[in-house]
Structures are given as C-alpha cells and as structure tokens.
Amino acid sequence: MIKLITSGCSFTHAPNSWANYLKKEYDLTNIAEGGSGNEMSLRNASLELLTYPYSHAIIQISGINRFEIIIDEKL
C-alpha cells in the first residue's frame, strides 16, 4: 500500500478537505495546519519525511501573498 503524506493550510487540514478523500485509497498521514503559510507547510513536511520513509508526498501551496511572521514573545 502507498504510504502518503499531505501538508498544507486549512484547505488541506479541514475535516472535509481533498486530502481526507485520499484516506479511502491510501495509508494517509495529513500534517496540514490551518492558518499556516507555505514556509511552515514545507518545513513540517520536510521534518516528517526525515522521520518516516513515505512513498509519496503532496504539499498544497497557498497564494504567494501568504507569508510567515515569527514573533519572539520574550521581548
């Protein structure tokens, strides 16, 4: 069976998302997070791919205007 990982923003994370339809046919791990930008989606997928040898990966990329801001709360 194909071991598949999906990552992305809320379009992939939602309970009725396109990724959840793949559960019917594949052994799916969905690590998408609502509100995440492209950098976070790619980083999370990269880290997960280092821990398990998935056979396939699908990463949903958001719009170019979506970006990540890191806030240091220790200011």
Side-chain angles (χ1 to χ4, degrees):
M1 179 176 255
I2 292 177
K3 179 68 176 162
L4 175 65
I5 182 176
T6 55
S7 182
C9 66
S10 56
F11 289 110
T12 305
H13 180 257
N16 59 349
S17 76
W18 61 270
N20 290 319
Y21 287 101
L22 299 174
K23 286 183 180 179
K24 298 173 186 175
E25 300 290 327
Y26 305 102
D27 183 8
L28 176 69
T29 300
N30 185 359
I31 61 166
E33 294 186 43
S36 66
N38 294 329
E39 295 92 349
M40 183 176 181
S41 297
L42 290 167
R43 183 173 51 252
N44 288 347
S46 298
L47 292 172
E48 183 67 20
L49 287 166
L50 289 172
T51 64
Y52 188 87
Y54 294 91
S55 58
H56 295 77
I58 301 174
I59 302 170
Q60 175 256 320
I61 301 298
S62 300
I64 191 170
N65 296 339
R66 212 166 184 176
F67 58 91
E68 184 173 309
I69 298 175
I70 298 173
I71 299 172
D72 184 2
E73 294 181 12
K74 297 179 183 179
L75 294 176

